[in-house]
Amino acid sequence: MQQEWTRRALLKAAGVAAIGTGMQSIAPLYARAMDADEGSRRPKPEDRRFRSTAVEEFLKQMRTRIGDAELAIMFVNCFPNTLDTTVEPGQFDGKPDTAVITGDIPAMWLRDSSAQVWAYLPLAAKDEPLRALLEGVIRRQTRCILIDPYANAFMADLNASALPWSLKDKTEMKPGVGERKWELDSLCYPIRLAYGYWKQTGDTRPFDAQWRQAMTLAVETMVVQQRKQGLGPYRFQRYSFISTETLPADGFGNPVKPVGLIASGFRPSDDACIFPFLVPSNLFAVTSLRQLAEMANYLLHDAALANRAHALAAEVESALQKYAITQTPEGTIWAYEVDGFGSQLLMDDANVPSLLGLPYLASSPDPALYERTRKFVWSERNPWFFRGTAGEGIGGPHEGKDMIWPMSQIIFAFTSKSDIEIRKALAMIKTSSAGSGFIHESFFKDDPKKFTRAWFAWANTLFGELIATLAASNPALLR
Protein backbone atom coordinates (compact mmCIF):
# COMPACT_ATOMS: atom_id res chain seq x y z
CA MET A 1 0.00 0.00 0.00
CA GLN A 2 1.05 3.54 -0.68
CA GLN A 3 2.87 5.09 2.26
CA GLU A 4 1.46 8.14 3.99
CA TRP A 5 3.35 11.16 2.83
CA THR A 6 2.32 14.41 4.55
CA ARG A 7 4.10 15.92 7.52
CA ARG A 8 1.09 15.43 9.83
CA ALA A 9 0.61 11.81 8.74
CA LEU A 10 4.27 11.12 9.43
CA LEU A 11 3.88 12.58 12.91
CA LYS A 12 0.93 10.33 13.60
CA ALA A 13 2.58 7.29 12.04
CA ALA A 14 5.49 7.76 14.40
CA GLY A 15 3.05 7.96 17.27
CA VAL A 16 1.37 4.72 16.29
CA ALA A 17 4.69 2.92 16.24
CA ALA A 18 5.34 4.06 19.78
CA ILE A 19 2.16 2.65 21.31
CA GLY A 20 1.05 -0.90 21.92
CA THR A 21 -2.68 -1.48 22.39
CA GLY A 22 -3.00 -5.13 21.55
CA MET A 23 -4.52 -4.24 18.17
CA GLN A 24 -2.76 -6.18 15.43
CA SER A 25 -1.14 -4.28 12.56
CA ILE A 26 -3.50 -4.30 9.62
CA ALA A 27 -0.99 -4.55 6.77
CA PRO A 28 -0.22 -8.27 7.28
CA LEU A 29 -3.93 -9.01 7.52
CA TYR A 30 -4.64 -7.41 4.17
CA ALA A 31 -1.63 -9.14 2.64
CA ARG A 32 -2.96 -12.55 3.70
CA ALA A 33 -6.45 -11.80 2.39
CA MET A 34 -5.71 -11.29 -1.29
CA ASP A 35 -6.94 -14.74 -2.30
CA ALA A 36 -10.20 -14.55 -0.32
CA ASP A 37 -13.75 -13.58 -1.26
CA GLU A 38 -13.47 -13.02 -5.01
CA GLY A 39 -10.85 -10.32 -5.00
CA SER A 40 -11.73 -8.57 -1.76
CA ARG A 41 -8.97 -7.38 0.55
CA ARG A 42 -10.67 -8.09 3.83
CA PRO A 43 -8.68 -9.89 6.49
CA LYS A 44 -9.28 -13.63 6.48
CA PRO A 45 -12.16 -14.72 8.75
CA GLU A 46 -9.84 -15.91 11.50
CA ASP A 47 -8.10 -12.52 11.57
CA ARG A 48 -11.23 -10.37 11.84
CA ARG A 49 -11.92 -8.54 15.09
CA PHE A 50 -15.66 -9.34 15.02
CA ARG A 51 -17.93 -11.40 12.81
CA SER A 52 -21.61 -10.58 12.28
CA THR A 53 -23.91 -13.04 10.54
CA ALA A 54 -26.25 -10.18 9.56
CA VAL A 55 -23.41 -8.18 8.02
CA GLU A 56 -22.06 -11.18 6.13
CA GLU A 57 -25.49 -11.95 4.73
CA PHE A 58 -25.96 -8.31 3.79
CA LEU A 59 -22.64 -8.34 1.90
CA LYS A 60 -23.76 -11.36 -0.11
CA GLN A 61 -27.06 -9.70 -0.99
CA MET A 62 -25.40 -6.45 -1.94
CA ARG A 63 -22.84 -8.02 -4.27
CA THR A 64 -25.67 -9.19 -6.51
CA ARG A 65 -27.09 -5.65 -6.64
CA ILE A 66 -23.93 -3.79 -7.64
CA GLY A 67 -23.26 -4.11 -11.34
CA ASP A 68 -20.00 -2.16 -11.24
CA ALA A 69 -17.35 -4.76 -10.35
CA GLU A 70 -14.92 -2.25 -8.83
CA LEU A 71 -17.63 -0.65 -6.69
CA ALA A 72 -18.74 -4.11 -5.56
CA ILE A 73 -15.25 -5.05 -4.39
CA MET A 74 -14.80 -1.70 -2.68
CA PHE A 75 -18.13 -2.14 -0.89
CA VAL A 76 -17.20 -5.61 0.34
CA ASN A 77 -13.87 -4.25 1.60
CA CYS A 78 -15.19 -1.08 3.16
CA PHE A 79 -18.60 -1.75 4.68
CA PRO A 80 -17.32 -4.27 7.28
CA ASN A 81 -13.94 -2.57 7.78
CA THR A 82 -14.78 -1.24 11.24
CA LEU A 83 -15.86 -4.68 12.43
CA ASP A 84 -13.00 -6.44 10.65
CA THR A 85 -10.17 -4.29 11.96
CA THR A 86 -11.01 -1.71 14.65
CA VAL A 87 -13.39 -3.03 17.29
CA GLU A 88 -12.31 -4.51 20.60
CA PRO A 89 -15.38 -6.06 22.23
CA GLY A 90 -15.34 -6.98 25.89
CA GLN A 91 -17.14 -6.44 29.17
CA PHE A 92 -16.99 -3.96 32.02
CA ASP A 93 -18.92 -4.52 35.23
CA GLY A 94 -20.66 -7.46 33.56
CA LYS A 95 -22.01 -5.37 30.67
CA PRO A 96 -20.90 -4.99 27.04
CA ASP A 97 -17.93 -2.68 26.58
CA THR A 98 -16.57 -1.99 23.08
CA ALA A 99 -13.54 0.10 22.19
CA VAL A 100 -13.36 1.27 18.56
CA ILE A 101 -10.05 2.64 17.32
CA THR A 102 -10.02 4.99 14.35
CA GLY A 103 -7.72 2.81 12.24
CA ASP A 104 -3.99 3.49 12.07
CA ILE A 105 -4.14 5.55 15.28
CA PRO A 106 -4.74 3.31 18.32
CA ALA A 107 -7.26 5.53 20.07
CA MET A 108 -11.03 5.95 20.14
CA TRP A 109 -12.43 9.25 18.94
CA LEU A 110 -15.97 9.91 20.19
CA ARG A 111 -16.86 11.25 16.74
CA ASP A 112 -15.19 8.56 14.64
CA SER A 113 -16.36 5.63 16.74
CA SER A 114 -19.98 6.84 16.49
CA ALA A 115 -19.72 7.28 12.74
CA GLN A 116 -17.83 4.01 12.23
CA VAL A 117 -20.64 1.83 13.61
CA TRP A 118 -23.60 3.94 12.38
CA ALA A 119 -24.11 1.91 9.20
CA TYR A 120 -24.65 -1.30 11.19
CA LEU A 121 -27.66 -0.03 13.15
CA PRO A 122 -30.28 -1.27 10.63
CA LEU A 123 -28.85 -4.80 10.94
CA ALA A 124 -28.57 -4.91 14.73
CA ALA A 125 -32.16 -5.91 15.50
CA LYS A 126 -31.66 -9.28 13.78
CA ASP A 127 -28.15 -10.02 15.10
CA GLU A 128 -27.89 -10.18 18.88
CA PRO A 129 -24.06 -10.24 19.06
CA LEU A 130 -23.95 -7.17 16.80
CA ARG A 131 -26.56 -5.44 18.94
CA ALA A 132 -24.49 -6.17 22.05
CA LEU A 133 -21.36 -4.84 20.36
CA LEU A 134 -23.17 -1.56 19.59
CA GLU A 135 -24.49 -1.40 23.14
CA GLY A 136 -20.88 -1.73 24.22
CA VAL A 137 -19.88 1.27 22.10
CA ILE A 138 -22.56 3.41 23.76
CA ARG A 139 -21.48 2.26 27.22
CA ARG A 140 -17.81 2.91 26.47
CA GLN A 141 -18.62 6.40 25.18
CA THR A 142 -20.59 7.02 28.37
CA ARG A 143 -17.54 6.12 30.45
CA CYS A 144 -15.35 8.36 28.30
CA ILE A 145 -17.61 11.40 28.61
CA LEU A 146 -17.67 10.97 32.37
CA ILE A 147 -13.86 10.88 32.41
CA ASP A 148 -13.65 14.19 30.54
CA PRO A 149 -16.38 15.82 28.42
CA TYR A 150 -13.77 18.09 26.81
CA ALA A 151 -11.63 15.27 25.38
CA ASN A 152 -11.99 14.22 21.76
CA ALA A 153 -10.09 10.93 21.93
CA PHE A 154 -9.53 8.18 24.49
CA MET A 155 -7.20 5.23 24.63
CA ALA A 156 -8.64 1.79 23.90
CA ASP A 157 -7.03 0.78 27.19
CA LEU A 158 -8.25 3.47 29.56
CA ASN A 159 -5.20 2.84 31.74
CA ALA A 160 -2.76 3.55 28.90
CA SER A 161 -0.70 6.69 28.46
CA ALA A 162 -1.96 9.43 26.15
CA LEU A 163 -1.04 9.58 22.47
CA PRO A 164 2.61 10.63 22.04
CA TRP A 165 1.81 14.03 20.55
CA SER A 166 -0.44 14.84 23.54
CA LEU A 167 1.99 14.10 26.36
CA LYS A 168 3.29 17.66 26.69
CA ASP A 169 0.06 19.53 26.00
CA LYS A 170 -0.76 22.36 28.38
CA THR A 171 -4.21 21.24 29.47
CA GLU A 172 -5.70 19.06 32.19
CA MET A 173 -4.95 15.54 30.95
CA LYS A 174 -6.73 12.74 32.81
CA PRO A 175 -6.00 9.00 32.78
CA GLY A 176 -7.48 7.32 29.73
CA VAL A 177 -7.56 10.46 27.58
CA GLY A 178 -5.70 10.15 24.27
CA GLU A 179 -6.06 13.77 23.17
CA ARG A 180 -7.91 16.69 24.76
CA LYS A 181 -9.14 18.91 21.97
CA TRP A 182 -12.57 20.34 22.81
CA GLU A 183 -14.80 19.71 19.80
CA LEU A 184 -18.52 20.32 20.15
CA ASP A 185 -19.36 17.51 17.75
CA SER A 186 -17.61 15.03 20.08
CA LEU A 187 -20.61 15.30 22.41
CA CYS A 188 -23.19 15.39 19.59
CA TYR A 189 -22.12 12.18 17.86
CA PRO A 190 -22.67 9.89 20.89
CA ILE A 191 -26.19 11.34 21.22
CA ARG A 192 -26.82 10.65 17.54
CA LEU A 193 -25.60 7.06 17.94
CA ALA A 194 -27.67 6.48 21.08
CA TYR A 195 -30.79 7.90 19.44
CA GLY A 196 -30.28 5.86 16.27
CA TYR A 197 -29.64 2.71 18.30
CA TRP A 198 -32.85 3.21 20.28
CA LYS A 199 -34.94 3.86 17.17
CA GLN A 200 -33.50 0.90 15.24
CA THR A 201 -33.48 -1.72 18.01
CA GLY A 202 -35.99 -0.53 20.59
CA ASP A 203 -33.46 -1.59 23.22
CA THR A 204 -33.15 0.61 26.32
CA ARG A 205 -30.44 -1.25 28.25
CA PRO A 206 -27.60 1.25 27.67
CA PHE A 207 -29.68 4.16 28.94
CA ASP A 208 -29.14 3.74 32.65
CA ALA A 209 -28.20 6.07 35.50
CA GLN A 210 -24.63 6.36 34.22
CA TRP A 211 -25.83 7.37 30.75
CA ARG A 212 -28.14 9.95 32.33
CA GLN A 213 -25.15 11.32 34.25
CA ALA A 214 -23.06 11.54 31.08
CA MET A 215 -25.83 13.26 29.13
CA THR A 216 -26.41 15.73 31.96
CA LEU A 217 -22.69 16.50 31.92
CA ALA A 218 -22.76 16.91 28.12
CA VAL A 219 -25.52 19.52 28.33
CA GLU A 220 -23.77 21.29 31.21
CA THR A 221 -20.55 21.43 29.19
CA MET A 222 -22.34 22.95 26.19
CA VAL A 223 -23.93 25.57 28.45
CA VAL A 224 -20.54 26.46 29.97
CA GLN A 225 -19.11 26.85 26.48
CA GLN A 226 -21.73 29.44 25.62
CA ARG A 227 -19.33 31.51 27.75
CA LYS A 228 -22.00 33.68 29.33
CA GLN A 229 -20.31 33.34 32.71
CA GLY A 230 -16.74 33.70 31.49
CA LEU A 231 -14.32 31.58 29.52
CA GLY A 232 -14.93 28.37 31.43
CA PRO A 233 -12.37 25.82 32.63
CA TYR A 234 -11.11 24.49 29.30
CA ARG A 235 -7.86 25.69 27.79
CA PHE A 236 -5.39 24.00 25.47
CA GLN A 237 -1.93 24.76 24.16
CA ARG A 238 0.51 22.54 22.28
CA TYR A 239 4.14 23.08 21.36
CA SER A 240 3.92 22.75 17.57
CA PHE A 241 5.07 24.46 14.39
CA ILE A 242 1.59 23.69 12.98
CA SER A 243 -0.62 26.66 13.83
CA THR A 244 -3.84 24.65 13.78
CA GLU A 245 -2.55 22.36 16.55
CA THR A 246 -2.88 24.92 19.35
CA LEU A 247 -5.26 27.61 20.59
CA PRO A 248 -4.38 31.30 20.82
CA ALA A 249 -5.21 33.73 23.66
CA ASP A 250 -3.56 31.72 26.42
CA GLY A 251 -5.24 28.52 25.26
CA PHE A 252 -8.85 29.77 25.31
CA GLY A 253 -9.13 30.51 21.59
CA ASN A 254 -10.02 33.79 19.93
CA PRO A 255 -12.60 35.96 21.73
CA VAL A 256 -16.33 35.55 21.25
CA LYS A 257 -19.33 37.65 22.19
CA PRO A 258 -21.76 35.50 24.23
CA VAL A 259 -24.80 35.43 21.96
CA GLY A 260 -26.19 31.95 22.70
CA LEU A 261 -23.97 29.89 20.40
CA ILE A 262 -21.64 27.20 21.76
CA ALA A 263 -17.89 27.73 21.42
CA SER A 264 -15.65 24.95 20.15
CA GLY A 265 -11.87 24.94 20.41
CA PHE A 266 -11.36 22.64 17.46
CA ARG A 267 -13.12 21.49 14.31
CA PRO A 268 -14.06 17.87 13.54
CA SER A 269 -10.78 17.75 11.61
CA ASP A 270 -8.99 18.28 14.98
CA ASP A 271 -7.78 21.65 13.63
CA ALA A 272 -8.17 24.77 15.73
CA CYS A 273 -11.11 27.04 15.00
CA ILE A 274 -10.37 30.60 13.90
CA PHE A 275 -13.70 31.88 15.25
CA PRO A 276 -14.92 29.57 18.04
CA PHE A 277 -18.59 29.50 17.07
CA LEU A 278 -18.36 26.66 14.55
CA VAL A 279 -21.62 26.84 12.62
CA PRO A 280 -22.08 23.25 11.34
CA SER A 281 -21.34 21.90 14.83
CA ASN A 282 -23.88 24.29 16.37
CA LEU A 283 -26.49 23.20 13.82
CA PHE A 284 -25.65 19.57 14.65
CA ALA A 285 -26.00 20.41 18.37
CA VAL A 286 -29.55 21.68 17.81
CA THR A 287 -30.50 18.32 16.30
CA SER A 288 -28.68 16.29 18.94
CA LEU A 289 -30.13 18.24 21.86
CA ARG A 290 -33.66 17.66 20.59
CA GLN A 291 -32.94 13.96 20.19
CA LEU A 292 -31.60 13.90 23.74
CA ALA A 293 -34.70 15.70 25.02
CA GLU A 294 -36.91 13.04 23.45
CA MET A 295 -34.86 10.26 25.04
CA ALA A 296 -34.80 12.05 28.40
CA ASN A 297 -38.60 12.23 28.38
CA TYR A 298 -39.43 8.76 27.10
CA LEU A 299 -36.57 6.67 28.48
CA LEU A 300 -35.29 8.49 31.54
CA HIS A 301 -38.52 10.22 32.59
CA ASP A 302 -36.31 13.17 33.40
CA ALA A 303 -38.30 16.27 32.58
CA ALA A 304 -35.62 18.58 33.91
CA LEU A 305 -32.95 17.24 31.54
CA ALA A 306 -35.41 17.22 28.64
CA ASN A 307 -36.45 20.81 29.26
CA ARG A 308 -32.86 21.98 29.59
CA ALA A 309 -31.88 20.27 26.33
CA HIS A 310 -34.94 21.71 24.54
CA ALA A 311 -34.24 25.21 25.84
CA LEU A 312 -30.58 25.09 24.82
CA ALA A 313 -31.50 23.84 21.35
CA ALA A 314 -33.98 26.67 20.90
CA GLU A 315 -31.47 29.28 22.09
CA VAL A 316 -28.74 28.01 19.75
CA GLU A 317 -31.14 27.81 16.82
CA SER A 318 -32.24 31.41 17.35
CA ALA A 319 -28.64 32.63 17.61
CA LEU A 320 -27.71 30.81 14.41
CA GLN A 321 -30.41 32.70 12.53
CA LYS A 322 -29.09 36.00 13.84
CA TYR A 323 -25.33 35.53 13.60
CA ALA A 324 -24.45 32.60 11.28
CA ILE A 325 -26.04 33.63 7.99
CA THR A 326 -24.09 35.86 5.61
CA GLN A 327 -24.87 37.67 2.39
CA THR A 328 -23.06 36.84 -0.89
CA PRO A 329 -23.68 38.01 -4.47
CA GLU A 330 -25.57 34.73 -5.01
CA GLY A 331 -27.74 35.17 -1.91
CA THR A 332 -27.52 34.23 1.74
CA ILE A 333 -25.51 31.21 2.87
CA TRP A 334 -24.34 29.68 6.13
CA ALA A 335 -20.96 30.92 7.35
CA TYR A 336 -18.51 28.28 8.57
CA GLU A 337 -17.38 30.06 11.74
CA VAL A 338 -18.47 33.28 13.47
CA ASP A 339 -17.54 35.11 16.69
CA GLY A 340 -20.73 36.98 17.59
CA PHE A 341 -19.00 40.33 17.03
CA GLY A 342 -19.76 40.29 13.30
CA SER A 343 -16.73 38.40 11.98
CA GLN A 344 -17.58 35.47 9.70
CA LEU A 345 -15.39 32.86 7.99
CA LEU A 346 -16.63 31.64 4.61
CA MET A 347 -15.30 28.17 3.79
CA ASP A 348 -16.01 24.51 4.44
CA ASP A 349 -13.92 21.58 5.62
CA ALA A 350 -14.33 17.98 4.49
CA ASN A 351 -14.80 16.58 7.99
CA VAL A 352 -18.39 16.06 9.13
CA PRO A 353 -20.17 18.01 10.58
CA SER A 354 -19.54 20.25 7.63
CA LEU A 355 -21.75 22.72 5.85
CA LEU A 356 -21.93 20.28 2.94
CA GLY A 357 -23.02 17.48 5.29
CA LEU A 358 -25.86 19.25 7.11
CA PRO A 359 -28.70 17.20 5.54
CA TYR A 360 -26.78 13.99 6.16
CA LEU A 361 -26.90 14.81 9.89
CA ALA A 362 -30.55 15.94 9.68
CA SER A 363 -29.31 19.41 10.63
CA SER A 364 -30.39 21.57 7.69
CA PRO A 365 -33.46 23.56 8.80
CA ASP A 366 -33.70 25.71 5.66
CA PRO A 367 -33.44 23.76 2.35
CA ALA A 368 -33.07 26.85 0.16
CA LEU A 369 -30.35 28.30 2.38
CA TYR A 370 -28.57 24.96 2.31
CA GLU A 371 -28.70 24.69 -1.50
CA ARG A 372 -27.05 28.09 -1.88
CA THR A 373 -24.46 27.11 0.72
CA ARG A 374 -23.83 23.80 -1.04
CA LYS A 375 -23.13 25.55 -4.34
CA PHE A 376 -20.71 27.87 -2.58
CA VAL A 377 -18.71 25.19 -0.75
CA TRP A 378 -18.49 22.95 -3.84
CA SER A 379 -16.76 25.64 -5.88
CA GLU A 380 -13.55 27.63 -6.00
CA ARG A 381 -15.24 30.28 -3.87
CA ASN A 382 -14.50 27.89 -0.99
CA PRO A 383 -10.74 28.26 -0.36
CA TRP A 384 -10.51 24.57 0.56
CA PHE A 385 -12.16 23.26 -2.60
CA PHE A 386 -9.74 21.76 -5.11
CA ARG A 387 -10.10 20.50 -8.67
CA GLY A 388 -7.47 18.50 -10.53
CA THR A 389 -6.97 15.74 -13.07
CA ALA A 390 -7.84 13.06 -10.48
CA GLY A 391 -11.08 14.66 -9.31
CA GLU A 392 -12.57 17.48 -7.31
CA GLY A 393 -13.67 17.95 -3.75
CA ILE A 394 -13.16 19.64 -0.42
CA GLY A 395 -10.09 19.31 1.76
CA GLY A 396 -8.99 21.43 4.69
CA PRO A 397 -6.00 22.73 6.63
CA HIS A 398 -5.43 19.32 8.21
CA GLU A 399 -3.68 17.96 5.11
CA GLY A 400 -3.29 21.23 3.25
CA LYS A 401 -3.45 22.65 -0.22
CA ASP A 402 -4.55 20.49 -3.17
CA MET A 403 -5.40 17.50 -0.95
CA ILE A 404 -8.95 16.32 -1.62
CA TRP A 405 -10.78 14.22 0.96
CA PRO A 406 -12.88 11.38 -0.53
CA MET A 407 -15.16 11.88 2.49
CA SER A 408 -16.31 15.12 0.87
CA GLN A 409 -17.11 13.28 -2.36
CA ILE A 410 -19.12 10.71 -0.41
CA ILE A 411 -21.08 13.46 1.36
CA PHE A 412 -21.55 15.24 -1.98
CA ALA A 413 -23.28 12.08 -3.23
CA PHE A 414 -25.27 11.68 -0.01
CA THR A 415 -26.65 15.21 -0.29
CA SER A 416 -27.30 15.23 -4.05
CA LYS A 417 -30.66 14.97 -5.78
CA SER A 418 -29.04 14.58 -9.19
CA ASP A 419 -28.23 11.20 -10.74
CA ILE A 420 -25.54 12.91 -12.82
CA GLU A 421 -23.85 14.31 -9.71
CA ILE A 422 -24.01 10.98 -7.88
CA ARG A 423 -22.53 9.07 -10.82
CA LYS A 424 -19.78 11.64 -11.08
CA ALA A 425 -19.07 11.32 -7.34
CA LEU A 426 -18.93 7.51 -7.55
CA ALA A 427 -16.46 7.70 -10.43
CA MET A 428 -14.23 10.11 -8.49
CA ILE A 429 -14.39 7.93 -5.37
CA LYS A 430 -13.23 4.92 -7.38
CA THR A 431 -10.36 6.98 -8.78
CA SER A 432 -9.37 8.17 -5.31
CA SER A 433 -8.94 4.58 -4.15
CA ALA A 434 -5.94 4.23 -6.48
CA GLY A 435 -6.71 0.54 -6.96
CA SER A 436 -6.39 -0.23 -3.25
CA GLY A 437 -10.06 -1.10 -2.75
CA PHE A 438 -10.32 1.25 0.24
CA ILE A 439 -11.10 4.90 0.96
CA HIS A 440 -8.24 7.12 2.05
CA GLU A 441 -8.16 10.22 4.19
CA SER A 442 -7.00 12.51 1.37
CA PHE A 443 -5.27 12.38 -2.00
CA PHE A 444 -3.39 14.81 -4.23
CA LYS A 445 -5.75 16.35 -6.78
CA ASP A 446 -3.58 15.28 -9.72
CA ASP A 447 -2.40 11.87 -8.50
CA PRO A 448 -4.54 9.56 -6.32
CA LYS A 449 -1.49 7.40 -5.58
CA LYS A 450 -0.25 10.20 -3.33
CA PHE A 451 -2.60 9.73 -0.42
CA THR A 452 -2.75 9.80 3.37
CA ARG A 453 -3.94 7.04 5.68
CA ALA A 454 -4.28 3.65 4.05
CA TRP A 455 -6.37 2.53 7.03
CA PHE A 456 -9.08 5.04 7.91
CA ALA A 457 -12.17 3.18 9.07
CA TRP A 458 -14.57 6.14 9.27
CA ALA A 459 -14.18 6.89 5.55
CA ASN A 460 -14.41 3.20 4.66
CA THR A 461 -17.64 2.64 6.56
CA LEU A 462 -19.14 5.93 5.34
CA PHE A 463 -18.57 4.79 1.76
CA GLY A 464 -20.21 1.45 2.57
CA GLU A 465 -23.17 3.32 4.02
CA LEU A 466 -23.49 5.39 0.84
CA ILE A 467 -23.59 2.31 -1.38
CA ALA A 468 -26.13 0.61 0.90
CA THR A 469 -28.28 3.76 0.84
CA LEU A 470 -28.16 4.00 -2.95
CA ALA A 471 -29.04 0.32 -3.27
CA ALA A 472 -32.22 1.03 -1.33
CA SER A 473 -33.13 4.43 -2.77
CA ASN A 474 -31.76 4.46 -6.33
CA PRO A 475 -30.45 1.01 -7.29
CA ALA A 476 -30.13 1.94 -10.98
CA LEU A 477 -27.08 4.04 -10.11
CA LEU A 478 -25.19 0.88 -9.07
CA ARG A 479 -25.91 -1.16 -12.19
Side-chain angles (χ1 to χ4, degrees), residues 68-292:
D68 184 307
E70 186 175 359
L71 275 182
I73 291 175
M74 288 178 64
F75 176 79
V76 170
N77 290 341
C78 293
F79 185 82
N81 188 248
T82 288
L83 299 180
D84 284 353
T85 67
T86 70
V87 298
E88 192 172 297
Q91 287 200 335
F92 181 77
D93 284 346
K95 299 172 183 175
D97 176 65
T98 308
V100 186
I101 67 167
T102 185
D104 55 10
I105 305 172
M108 176 170 170
W109 266 251
L110 291 176
R111 169 186 54 257
D112 292 42
S113 60
S114 301
Q116 284 169 243
V117 300
W118 178 259
Y120 308 130
L121 291 178
L123 303 174
K126 52 187 176 184
D127 187 333
E128 175 56 24
L130 178 60
R131 185 214 59 77
L133 179 112
L134 296 173
E135 177 189 350
V137 177
I138 294 171
R139 291 187 180 278
R140 170 59 74 99
Q141 291 179 339
T142 297
R143 291 172 63 197
C144 290
I145 291 169
L146 290 174
I147 290 172
D148 187 355
Y150 286 106
N152 59 324
F154 297 80
M155 303 310 295
D157 176 359
L158 292 176
N159 296 311
S161 298
L163 292 165
W165 53 85
S166 300
L167 293 174
K168 296 182 180 180
D169 290 346
K170 292 181 65 178
T171 191
E172 185 185 354
M173 292 292 289
K174 298 179 180 179
V177 170
E179 184 174 61
R180 194 175 190 248
K181 290 181 173 178
W182 160 236
E183 300 165 6
L184 174 56
D185 70 285
S186 290
L187 294 182
C188 298
Y189 266 105
I191 296 172
R192 178 181 187 247
L193 177 63
Y195 185 81
Y197 173 89
W198 172 46
K199 291 296 185 179
Q200 289 283 354
T201 68
D203 182 41
T204 63
R205 277 170 283 190
F207 311 121
D208 54 15
Q210 191 176 46
W211 188 77
R212 181 205 303 256
Q213 184 182 359
M215 293 301 100
T216 300
L217 180 59
V219 175
E220 290 174 352
T221 303
M222 293 183 197
V223 170
V224 168
Q225 287 304 317
Q226 289 181 294
R227 300 194 176 178
K228 294 179 181 180
Q229 307 300 322
L231 295 173
Y234 176 79
R235 59 198 298 185
F236 180 95
Q237 290 175 295
R238 173 174 290 173
Y239 297 102
S240 175
F241 61 86
I242 304 171
S243 63
T244 54
E245 285 294 296
T246 190
L247 294 180
D250 202 26
F252 290 103
N254 286 317
V256 295
K257 181 180 179 180
V259 294
L261 296 173
I262 303 167
S264 187
F266 293 84
R267 301 167 179 170
S269 60
D270 301 333
D271 294 334
C273 293
I274 295 175
F275 301 129
F277 293 146
L278 180 57
V279 173
S281 289
N282 273 267
L283 284 161
F284 187 22
V286 172
T287 300
S288 301
L289 286 164
R290 288 180 173 149
Q291 291 173 341
L292 175 57

Side-chain angles (χ1 to χ4, degrees), residues 9-21 103-106 163-165 455:
L10 289 170
L11 171 67
K12 291 187 175 181
V16 170
I19 295 180
T21 64
D104 55 10
I105 305 172
L163 292 165
W165 53 85
W455 180 22

Side-chain angles (χ1 to χ4, degrees), residues 22-36 41-52 56 80-89 101 455:
M23 304 295 288
Q24 194 172 4
S25 171
I26 200 63
L29 302 188
Y30 288 147
R32 293 200 299 272
M34 294 298 290
D35 60 344
R41 295 183 179 179
R42 296 178 66 189
K44 288 187 175 181
E46 61 270 23
D47 293 327
R48 296 170 191 168
R49 303 297 302 178
F50 181 84
R51 298 192 69 191
S52 162
E56 296 303 322
N81 188 248
T82 288
L83 299 180
D84 284 353
T85 67
T86 70
V87 298
E88 192 172 297
I101 67 167
W455 180 22

Side-chain angles (χ1 to χ4, degrees), residues 390-406:
E392 64 184 35
I394 300 170
H398 199 73
E399 293 301 346
K401 188 177 185 298
D402 293 333
M403 297 298 292
I404 297 169
W405 288 53

